[in-house]
Amino acid sequence: MKITQLDLKAQLPSIREELLHSLTVVVDSTQYILGPQVAELEKQVAAYCGVRFGIGVASGTDALLVSLMALDVGPDDLVLTTPYSFFATAGVISRVHAKPLFADIDPESYNLDPQQVRQLLTGMSHADRKRVRAMMPVHLYGQSAEMGPLMDIADEFGIKVVEDCAQAIGARYDFRGKPARVGAMGLCGCFSFFPSKNLGGLGDGGMVVTDDEAFADQVRILRVHGAKPVYFHSFIGGNFRLDTLQAAALLVKLPHLEEWHRGRQDRADYFDKGLTGVPGVGLPKIASRREYHIYNQYIIAADRRNELKEFLAGKGISTAIYYPVPFHLQPCFEYLGYKQGDFPASERAAATTLAIPIYPELTAEQQDYIIGSIREFYQA
Ligand SMILES: Cc1ncc(COP(=O)(O)O)c(C=O)c1O
C-alpha cells in the first residue's frame, strides 16, 4: 500500500466541477486583481472567525509581515515568539529589522508556554521590556495556543498580539469564558491558504483578520504599496494582494471546511485509539480550554523517530518532520546569541516529532495499515 502524507487528489472529485466553474467566472470577468471574490472571501472568513474585518493577502507569510508593518515594528524592537514553528514566523520579524525574542513551548501542546513568557519578561530590564512591541503565538498543528494567559500577559505589559493562525483556521479556545476561534483573540490573526492547510487554495494565499478597524485600514493600505489614494504614499508597503482566482477557489471550499475538520477529527480519534499504549509513542494531546483541534497535522512524539520514519517509508507510508531545527539553532539566527540547551522543550520536539498522514478522505483500511506498521516497528 502507498499512503502519501497528504493526498489532495482524494478531495478533488467532490469539488472539481464547482472549482472550474468559479475559475471560469473570474477568467471571463477579467477582474483579476482585487475582484469581487476577494471582498466576498474577506467577509466570509472574517465572519467565520467571529471578527469584522478580513484583508486578503498573497500568503500566510505576507499576512504576518504586513501585520508587523501595520504595527510599525522596526529596528530596536523585539517580537516575542516560539522557537518551534515554520520559518515564516521568525523570518518576518527579521524582515522588518526587529529582533526575534524566544520563549520555550509547552512540551505537550507544542505551543508557546505562558509561564516561560512571563518569566522571560519579568527577568528583563525595564528598558528592554519596553522594546517588546509584539507577541506572535503560533497555533501549531491546528490547536490554539494558551491564549487566555498569553493575552493577560500581553495586556499587562502593553504588548500587541499577532496570532499566527496559518495551521489552525477554525480551531477554538475557551477565551475568558466564551468560545472563540483563533484569530479573534489577539489584535489580529494571520491565515495561510497554502494548499496543505485545512482551507487550502490552488496556490499561495493568506488573510489578516481583525476586529480593529484602524488596524484593518492600515493593512489594506500597506497591501497596495502603502498607497492612499492610489499613487499617493504616506507609507511604504508592498504588493501583498490575494489573487481573485485564489479567492474564487477558496469560496468554493469554505462551505466544506467544518465537514473537513470533522473528517480529520474522526481520523485523529481513530489514530488515538489504535496507537494508545504503544511504548515509545506519545500521542497528540488536546490541552484544557481547547474545545476544537482541527488536526492540520497529527503529530506523534516518537522514540527513534528517524528510524521509524525510514521504516514507514519502506512500507510505502510517507511522513514528515516538522521542524527538525528550532529557530534558535538556525545559522541565520546565530547573531541572536542563543545556544543548544536554551529551549529544551523545543529541542526535544524537533528531535522526536513526526507527522503521520491525516486528511478527511483517509480510509479506515489506510489507517489500520499505518497503525499496524507503527506497532510492528515498536513490536507492540
Ligand atoms: C505556522 C506557520 N506560519 C506561517 C506560515 C506561512 O504561510 P505561507 O506558506 O502561506 O506563506 C506557515 C505555512 O506553512 C505556517 O505553517
Side-chain angles (χ1 to χ4, degrees):
M1 200 183 290
K2 277 240 170 298
I3 308 175
T4 51
Q5 218 246 325
L6 170 67
D7 182 4
L8 286 175
K9 282 207 169 141
Q11 186 185 78
L12 198 54
S14 65
I15 47 172
R16 188 172 178 279
E17 287 311 311
E18 229 187 314
L19 276 176
L20 290 178
H21 172 73
S22 68
L23 296 178
T24 306
V25 169
V26 178
V27 171
D28 291 343
S29 76
T30 71
Q31 288 184 275
Y32 306 135
I33 301 294
L34 296 182
Q37 289 84 349
V38 174
E40 182 57 30
L41 183 75
E42 291 172 342
K43 200 171 91 189
Q44 290 192 21
V45 172
Y48 176 77
C49 295
V51 295
R52 287 180 295 162
F53 310 103
I55 304 98
V57 293
S59 66
T61 306
D62 279 354
L64 294 168
L65 180 64
V66 77
S67 294
L68 293 183
M69 290 170 78
L71 282 171
D72 203 21
V73 171
D76 293 332
D77 293 337
L78 300 171
V79 178
L80 202 162
T81 192
T82 163
Y84 181 66
S85 176
F86 178 65
F87 185 76
T89 311
V92 295
I93 299 170
S94 294
R95 287 178 62 194
V96 295
H97 308 289
K99 246 191 187 177
L101 177 68
F102 300 125
D104 209 355
I105 56 168
D106 162 53
E108 301 221 317
S109 68
Y110 305 115
N111 282 324
L112 203 50
D113 180 345
Q115 270 182 335
Q116 299 285 335
V117 171
R118 178 172 288 282
Q119 219 172 325
L120 174 67
L121 289 168
T122 50
M124 292 169 84
S125 69
H126 180 69
D128 278 346
R129 204 157 51 219
K130 274 179 48 189
R131 293 169 60 205
V132 183
R133 292 281 318 286
M135 188 197 303
M136 287 173 41
V138 180
H139 307 299
L140 204 66
Y141 300 139
Q143 170 164 227
S144 173
E146 184 69 298
M147 289 304 287
L150 288 174
M151 286 305 299
D152 290 346
I153 295 168
D155 289 349
E156 184 181 329
F157 291 96
I159 298 170
K160 300 286 188 209
V161 173
V162 173
E163 299 178 52
D164 183 339
C165 310
Q167 302 184 5
I169 189 165
R172 303 231 302 200
Y173 179 86
D174 181 7
F175 184 63
R176 296 175 174 167
K178 274 196 240 143
R181 284 216 160 99
V182 297
M185 295 174 274
L187 169 68
C188 68
C190 300
F191 293 92
S192 165
F193 302 129
F194 186 80
S196 67
K197 307 306 188 206
N198 287 30
L199 180 63
L202 309 181
D204 283 306
M207 192 170 290
V208 179
V209 303
T210 181
D211 220 25
D212 184 312
E213 190 163 12
F215 182 80
D217 288 345
Q218 186 64 6
V219 170
R220 222 172 268 121
I221 293 167
L222 292 172
R223 173 172 70 173
V224 287
H225 286 292
K228 190 183 180 189
V230 69
Y231 306 129
F232 290 82
H233 299 261
S234 299
F235 308 99
I236 299 168
N239 174 358
F240 298 134
R241 295 177 300 245
L242 175 68
D243 278 339
T244 311
L245 277 169
Q246 292 304 337
L250 290 160
L251 280 168
V252 170
K253 289 186 153 200
L254 185 57
H256 298 279
L257 186 57
E258 287 296 307
E259 166 203 328
W260 289 335
H261 288 337
R262 278 193 297 277
R264 284 170 183 265
Q265 286 158 351
D266 289 347
R267 275 138 196 87
D269 288 347
Y270 198 87
F271 276 138
D272 285 351
K273 288 197 189 86
L275 292 171
T276 292
V278 179
V281 174
L283 300 179
K285 295 195 183 60
I286 302 187
S288 66
R289 286 188 279 226
R290 279 35 160 225
E291 21 174 321
Y292 210 49
H293 186 319
I294 60 139
Y295 293 100
N296 182 241
Q297 300 294 344
Y298 186 92
I299 298 293
I300 60 171
D303 287 353
R304 295 186 289 134
R305 188 265 317 267
N306 295 352
E307 275 177 66
L308 173 65
K309 185 174 186 359
E310 282 295 302
F311 178 80
L312 293 176
K315 295 255 171 196
I317 301 166
S318 71
T319 57
I321 296 173
Y322 304 116
Y323 299 91
V325 184
F327 296 148
H328 66 291
L329 302 178
Q330 294 284 0
C332 68
F333 290 131
E334 221 174 87
Y335 73 97
L336 295 172
Y338 292 107
K339 59 183 187 318
Q340 180 96 34
D342 281 349
F343 304 108
S346 296
E347 291 168 23
R348 205 160 38 247
T352 60
T353 53
L354 187 68
I356 64 175
I358 191 155
Y359 43 90
E361 301 80 12
L362 196 66
T363 64
E365 193 193 359
Q366 289 172 314
Q367 287 201 275
D368 287 339
Y369 182 68
I370 296 165
I371 292 165
S373 301
I374 293 173
R375 285 189 165 270
E376 189 186 332
F377 179 77
Y378 290 105
Q379 297 178 340

